[in-house]
Amino acid sequence: MRKFAKYFYLAVMVINYTFMFTFAAAAGGVSFRLIGVLSLLGLALYCYVNRSSALMFLLSGKVKVFMFLYTALPIFLVVVSPVFPLSFLGYQVLSFLLVVATAVFVREEGVRELGKWILLCWFISVVGILISYFFPGVFKAVAQMQEEAKQVATQFRETKISSTASGRAFGFFMQPNRAAFGIVVTVVLLALTYFRDKVVMRYAFLTMSFATILLTGSRGGMLQIVVFFGLLFLNEIVSGVIFQGRKQSFASVVPIIAVFGAIMILCGVGVYYLTSDGSVNGSMLDRALNVVMGRETLATDGSVQARLYAQEVYLGQILDSPLWGHGLAASVIYNQAGLLPLSSHNSFIEYAFDHGIPATVALFIVFVVMALDRNAKKLRGLVHYNFSLIFVCVVFVATLVLGGVFYARFFSVALGMWLSLQYAPSPRMLADFGMQMPRQHY
């Protein structure tokens, strides 16, 4: 039973992490709801057969406080939702189980074992992004299913296949900004754990991921990866790198970084010419470069101004119900009903709109506290990188430029991995980093 549950979890994790469930549903002619129910059953089964590890995780450190704010409180606030969003209620439970099941998997199987499967997710995601750019018609059936699903108020929003005309790819994520965020989250997880002691492979992985993000045309994704690179290099300059099995100075890997840096530049030039269509507005990459080079300001960027206008509308309605918000999934439901213009492209504002200002502020404060507490420092000693601070900083950047961060299923997997590493280490997990379990728990 344990072995069956393990592979059931892995199948559920991969299909949800990569958003392959959207494509699988369209190809197989099954509903999103059915796939969601099967996912719930798979995750529940895995948590049940490993219930001792699951319980230990949920009672560890600040995990119980975080999980209350992240899943339990939003579920409770369904009582103030404009409608009873059964799909989102199920999704909230699915997110909770995905966090717990991933944490259990890391405890039972080790972080390197999970890393192999997340690397597979990265490969699937990259292939999907390439297909969506060169053969966007493949995804038309998925887009049609999403539009039909919208009629019953699910979390899916309109997908414009024509977005590739302006040099954007979206992959199985069905949305360019979400695709870029998925790649960035994967980069953070794997670069700081799976590739932590493999310098050449790490920078090759970072280079390919960087090129993929450029292909999505997501300016938010570009900002997130630049922030991550800055924090990664700062960590390596201060603490050195693990190279050839031992700690070495940052200067020793500068030639390797220079080579891959040059490749990144070539990738950027290649993607620029590949995605520039010669139109008046140019591709998204053109527009990003126009801002960086000073040829265009945020004040004259139509896309940015539309987002700022949407955020003003959101903020105005947040003040109508500042304490407990408008209820679970209200931001999506209002958006689909035409009561909100566009997306806010800001998960902080969306969370406050749905669940109120106190819950939102509390959640972000807990993020900060967890990034700086003594367990975060012990995790840094374990993996050599300031995993918690880097992860939280990248997430914060994402919440400011992207909507739906907390609805992304790969984000739930990332949370499970991070929280397990920091608050519920196991002998198997520590063995991956050449350490033994101390007598006293973290």
Side-chain angles (χ1 to χ4, degrees):
M1 177 62 75
R2 283 183 179 273
K3 192 170 185 180
F4 171 77
K6 169 187 171 181
Y7 287 108
F8 202 167
Y9 158 75
L10 287 172
V12 170
M13 188 276 287
V14 171
I15 198 172
N16 280 277
Y17 191 103
T18 59
F19 274 69
M20 273 289 291
F21 63 90
T22 57
F23 194 81
V30 298
S31 69
F32 293 125
R33 183 168 296 177
L34 176 59
I35 293 179
V37 170
L38 291 175
S39 296
L40 280 171
L41 291 175
L43 295 173
L45 175 64
Y46 185 71
C47 290
Y48 175 75
V49 299
N50 295 284
R51 51 191 176 277
S52 59
S53 285
L55 185 61
M56 183 176 294
F57 166 72
L58 288 172
L59 296 178
S60 300
K62 299 178 179 65
V63 171
K64 47 188 174 291
V65 177
F66 178 83
M67 294 304 290
F68 171 77
L69 293 171
Y70 182 66
T71 58
L73 184 59
I75 289 174
F76 173 76
L77 289 175
V78 71
V79 297
V80 296
S81 294
V83 298
F84 184 73
L86 182 61
S87 296
F88 277 95
L89 191 63
Y91 180 79
Q92 203 71 28
V93 176
L94 176 64
S95 296
F96 170 78
L97 289 175
L98 200 50
V99 173
V100 177
T102 300
V104 169
F105 186 88
V106 173
R107 283 183 52 81
E108 297 292 324
E109 308 294 334
V111 68
R112 290 192 180 275
E113 181 65 20
L114 180 64
K116 294 176 184 177
W117 291 93
I118 292 180
L119 186 59
L120 172 63
C121 293
W122 173 85
F123 177 77
I124 293 172
S125 301
V126 170
V127 170
I129 287 171
L130 292 174
I131 293 174
S132 71
Y133 183 81
F134 292 103
F135 308 102
V138 173
F139 292 85
K140 285 186 177 178
V142 184
Q144 184 177 356
M145 265 194 92
Q146 289 190 348
E147 288 305 295
E148 293 173 355
K150 278 176 56 179
Q151 303 306 315
V152 291
T154 72
Q155 68 269 31
F156 301 106
R157 301 177 183 180
E158 181 180 3
T159 299
K160 295 183 178 179
I161 299 297
S162 60
S163 64
T164 54
S166 60
R168 304 196 72 180
F170 44 83
F172 299 114
F173 299 95
M174 298 303 291
Q175 210 280 337
N177 294 322
R178 187 193 297 138
F181 182 49
I183 296 296
V184 172
V185 167
T186 308
V187 165
V188 175
L189 297 181
L190 295 183
L192 303 184
T193 57
Y194 191 74
F195 292 118
R196 62 181 278 277
D197 54 353
K198 303 178 181 68
V199 174
V200 175
M201 292 180 65
R202 180 169 72 248
Y203 283 105
F205 169 70
L206 293 177
T207 301
M208 289 184 284
S209 300
F210 177 74
T212 303
I213 291 170
L214 291 182
L215 198 59
T216 67
S218 171
R219 288 177 288 183
M222 296 174 203
L223 177 61
Q224 293 161 39
I225 198 68
V226 167
V227 169
F228 172 71
F229 282 161
L231 294 172
L232 177 69
F233 290 145
L234 180 61
N235 196 132
E236 293 185 339
I237 290 171
V238 173
S239 303
V241 296
I242 304 297
F243 186 41
Q244 296 180 343
R246 56 193 177 89
K247 184 177 176 180
Q248 299 189 28
S249 68
F250 178 74
S252 64
V253 299
V254 167
I256 298 175
I257 295 175
V259 170
F260 283 107
I263 296 174
M264 283 188 187
I265 294 174
L266 292 175
C267 287
V269 173
V271 172
Y272 175 79
Y273 283 106
L274 180 65
T275 60
S276 296
D277 59 1
S279 65
V280 176
N281 293 327
S283 70
M284 292 297 291
L285 190 54
D286 282 314
R287 292 161 63 186
L289 288 173
N290 285 339
V291 173
V292 173
M293 300 299 291
R295 294 192 295 264
E296 184 177 354
T297 65
L298 296 179
T300 59
D301 188 304
S303 175
V304 172
Q305 292 306 307
R307 296 180 187 187
L308 292 177
Y309 167 70
Q311 290 173 14
E312 288 181 9
V313 176
Y314 273 78
L315 289 171
Q317 296 205 28
I318 287 172
L319 296 178
D320 292 337
S321 182
L323 295 181
W324 51 78
H326 296 271
L328 182 65
S331 57
V332 178
I333 295 169
Y334 277 50
N335 190 282
Q336 292 175 352
L339 300 176
L340 289 172
L342 304 174
S343 165
S344 69
H345 285 273
N346 187 304
S347 294
F348 185 92
I349 290 177
E350 284 183 358
Y351 202 88
F353 183 91
D354 290 347
H355 310 306
I357 295 175
T360 304
V361 172
L363 179 65
F364 278 73
I365 287 176
V366 170
F367 263 116
V368 173
V369 171
M370 291 193 302
L372 301 175
D373 71 8
R374 64 186 183 90
N375 290 67
K377 295 177 182 177
K378 291 182 178 181
L379 178 57
R380 177 176 184 172
L382 178 66
V383 303
H384 182 71
Y385 290 99
N386 198 336
F387 187 108
S388 299
L389 185 61
I390 293 174
F391 178 75
V392 170
C393 285
V394 172
V395 169
F396 275 20
V397 171
T399 60
L400 294 177
V401 298
L402 176 64
V405 165
F406 300 117
Y407 286 136
R409 304 190 184 194
F410 53 80
F411 184 63
S412 295
V413 175
L415 285 174
M417 181 176 175
W418 170 46
L419 294 174
S420 185
L421 278 169
Q422 181 157 317
Y423 293 107
S426 66
R428 180 67 185 87
M429 184 193 306
L430 295 177
D432 284 339
F433 301 104
M435 297 182 66
Q436 295 181 346
M437 194 75 173
R439 290 186 178 181
Q440 289 187 338
H441 192 269
Y442 266 32

